[in-house]
Amino acid sequence: MARTFSGSTIKSWFQYRCERKTRYELFTDAELDAVPVVKIVKENTWAVLGNEFEARVVGKLDRTDGVLLPASPKRPLDERLTASFLQGQQSKPYAAQANLTPRSQPKFLEGTDLALKRNLPDLIRFAAPAGHGDRVFTIIDVKATRRATAFHKTQVAFYVRVLEELLREMGLSAQARLDDHGEIWRIPDHGVATGEDHQVERFALAPYLRMVDDFCRNILPGIARKKVLPTFDETFFHLYFKCEQCEFIDHCARSIDPQLPPEKRDVSAVAGLTHEAKRSLLRLDVRSVADLSKAAGLAKQPGIGWSLGRRAETLKARAQALATNQIIRTVDEHTFLMPPRADVILLLSVDHDPVDDRIAAIGYRRVEGGKVVSQKIEIPKSGEAEDEALAMITVLAALIDDLTAIDQANASAPAGQGVFAHIFFYEPTEATALQNALGRHLDNAQIRGGLLHLVRLFPPDEVVPEPEFKGVHHLPATAVRSVVEQLYALPAMVAYDLRQVSRALEGVGGGPAYQPASGFQRQFSSLLSIDVIRPIREQKLDAKPVSAVEADVAARLDALQGVIAWLYMQNQASTAKGAPLLRLAKKPFRFHASFDPLNAVDLDILVACELLENRAGLLEALVGLAQPAERRRDTGRCMAGLTLINHAVYGRSAILTFSVPEASRASDLGPGSFNLILTDNDPDLRLNLGNWRSVSCSILAPSADYQDRPDRVSVRMEPAIYRAPEFDALLRRTASNGWFIDQAFGDINSVRAAQFLTNLASAQP
């Protein structure tokens, strides 16, 4: 029996790349029941949103231009009307839900036992050029999304292929042609999902047609042949966050059930594993959590791939944590993402609505001495820009008021004393959502002032006279999930699910664990789902009460507070042993005084954004330098384990020559690399940018003697640095093969841009 499929199968493949999902979609419901395969039958929120948005857009289009519509909204355009539209016998320029069903097997499926289901593009536009020429048909897909993705475009390309076949079958190929561009009509950038307006994204079809042709001829037939029996399933699958919307998730989730023994628990349960990594592991016969936990020499296996090889030890540790139900320390000795002390802990929680592209909830809490001092939670009542701005202003004003009070108290404190304050999110995506929201409201005076307050957390070094308040000491925020992932392997399937992480920590003295109420639980995340967000936005009768959402945000802040307390407990114990975990150097909190948020002008905003970009680059470099030497080396940013052969001053340069071990010879560092530092891998040296000047160097082009010697590298230093007591001590204490060249950070452009903008501002009348 021929296996049938439609455009939704095409979209599904390019969205999920899941062989199992695609194979199951080729089954009839009776065949699924016979296996059996559990299929979730419920109203999908995304599908409902898409249908409602499409109905509004098409309704408006019908009023303005005219659309050939089906007799019933829940039925397609019948074949007779579809044929008359394609033959140019209809006066309306658009047809909705046209029934594209060729009677014979399409050419692009020849040689396979595949056949087409009914295919219904959202819209087809008919255009007859003025004067003479072929009729032109354009395929249009209406999507309730903010961004047209590749999988949306491949679905349009597939409909183009089907329409080509139908026109050929009807004998219309000579009189009609297809547009070489397709269109996605989506939610406008500055509009809302509940409106009837749309934004057109027009794109060239050629690359997507090639993708569709390759899938239909070379990939889909192989998937269709995969055997699925009650006791045997040949399809490849991998569970990860995208699976949350899949109707087969409950079926697949059985394979990673925590109740299964490690030997039977699929390797998908290991956090951070990708599709390709799992395929590589299966080729090595590593199929279960137990297999991965015991895999020896995984990183050196042939054909393992660079990405999996680099992360092999981390993934193995996570598998061991799952297999033993214990928390395991990773190979990372420390992290630069979190300070060792915070007298005042400032927590932020941000939920994002991807449909309206607005903040759905924002919460703030101030904690001192382990106790909650204050808390503010806001749920915007709609997806309108004004409601989002009001929620941010209310919550961030509380944060800024607290920081202002701390700044004023520290202003009169003795040198080196005062209150240490730090901001914490759980997820990096929460910080990104807040940053994007701020960017959407720069026309709001209160938001602009808040942005400058945030910049004042990052004082530019060259304008701050007190050295103790320079740059790195004011890196203000930590995404706690990143700290946990860097330092620990947890018995949890995903580290970005606060529920799983807090539950694991509760078992070893942390907590409290986040326990989502009914309707709030998700498989792979603790942030609010669109199933909660959209009914509130659309004021539906089944919407969760705002009080319930506030309670959920508060519960997540409780859990985040507990995770932070546990990390500080671990750092205290580790510091007592002489190996502190948390390395972000901080000083008592002070605002940078060069910006005046109350009198901000547009050029101040540009300076602020430039400095934020600079500090983001600095933080990224420091995070990279905090990683173990092997990981820095494997990513090409470090030459590790060098042996010093000779060193001396020659004229205006000090030259040091090293022997390079084989593992470091593929480094990306070379004569053109900037901002290099030469150290003995001491974290207090490489993680303190104030020390970088005393170990700065540059790599020399190979001399004639070493032209063909990849095992040699020479670096140049300024004689003053080379002869300084600090570097002399480094020369005396460093072991034979204990030298490391790393890429640090330097940015002259931000400083120049800031100076230029400041000069412009001063020249304004």
Side-chain angles (χ1 to χ4, degrees), residues 58 86 168 341 428 496 576 700:
V58 172
L86 296 178
R168 179 179 60 81
R341 174 182 171 184
Y496 40 84
L700 294 173

Side-chain angles (χ1 to χ4, degrees), residues 467-478:
E468 66 269 22
F469 293 135
K470 287 191 176 181
V472 68
H473 302 302
H474 282 256
L475 292 173
T478 289

Side-chain angles (χ1 to χ4, degrees), residues 412-623:
S412 57
Q417 299 181 28
V419 176
F420 290 73
H422 198 67
I423 301 170
F424 293 89
F425 297 84
Y426 181 68
E427 270 277 9
T429 54
E430 295 180 82
T432 302
L434 180 58
Q435 176 186 343
N436 292 338
L438 287 168
R440 287 193 291 271
H441 295 281
L442 290 181
D443 58 340
N444 184 301
Q446 288 177 281
I447 296 289
R448 284 203 307 273
L451 174 64
L452 289 180
H453 271 297
L454 293 178
V455 174
R456 294 172 74 208
L457 303 175
F458 297 85
D461 297 349
E462 68 278 0
V463 297
V464 182
E466 303 86 2
E468 66 269 22
F469 293 135
K470 287 191 176 181
V472 68
H473 302 302
H474 282 256
L475 292 173
T478 289
V480 174
R481 167 200 154 190
S482 301
V483 176
V484 173
E485 282 190 312
Q486 196 169 349
L487 296 177
Y488 297 97
L490 302 180
M493 289 182 290
V494 282
Y496 40 84
D497 184 357
L498 181 57
R499 172 179 56 91
Q500 294 185 48
V501 169
S502 59
R503 184 181 298 168
L505 297 184
E506 187 180 45
V508 291
Y514 166 59
Q515 298 288 353
S518 175
F520 286 89
Q521 184 165 332
R522 297 174 64 182
Q523 194 93 10
F524 297 101
S525 175
S526 293
L527 297 175
L528 294 178
S529 72
I530 63 168
D531 294 331
V532 173
I533 296 169
R534 294 311 305 172
I536 294 174
R537 287 277 203 253
E538 295 162 19
Q539 300 180 350
K540 294 190 174 180
L541 294 176
D542 61 346
K544 299 290 183 187
V546 170
S547 59
V549 180
E550 291 173 344
D552 183 76
V553 173
R556 283 184 275 138
L557 290 173
D558 288 340
L560 174 57
Q561 184 179 335
V563 174
I564 294 167
W566 185 84
L567 286 170
Y568 275 126
M569 224 171 27
Q570 301 310 303
N571 182 64
Q572 187 177 13
S574 188
T575 302
K577 298 176 184 177
L581 300 176
L582 309 178
R583 290 277 187 170
L584 175 55
K586 296 264 302 188
K587 297 293 182 182
F589 176 79
R590 291 299 311 278
F591 271 135
H592 165 48
S594 293
F595 290 110
D596 180 5
L598 298 178
N599 295 295
V601 296
D602 289 343
L603 288 173
D604 288 328
I605 302 297
L606 292 175
V607 173
C609 292
E610 190 67 38
L611 292 173
L612 281 173
E613 187 77 17
N614 171 279
R615 292 304 182 256
L618 172 61
L619 179 58
E620 183 180 5
L622 289 166
V623 169

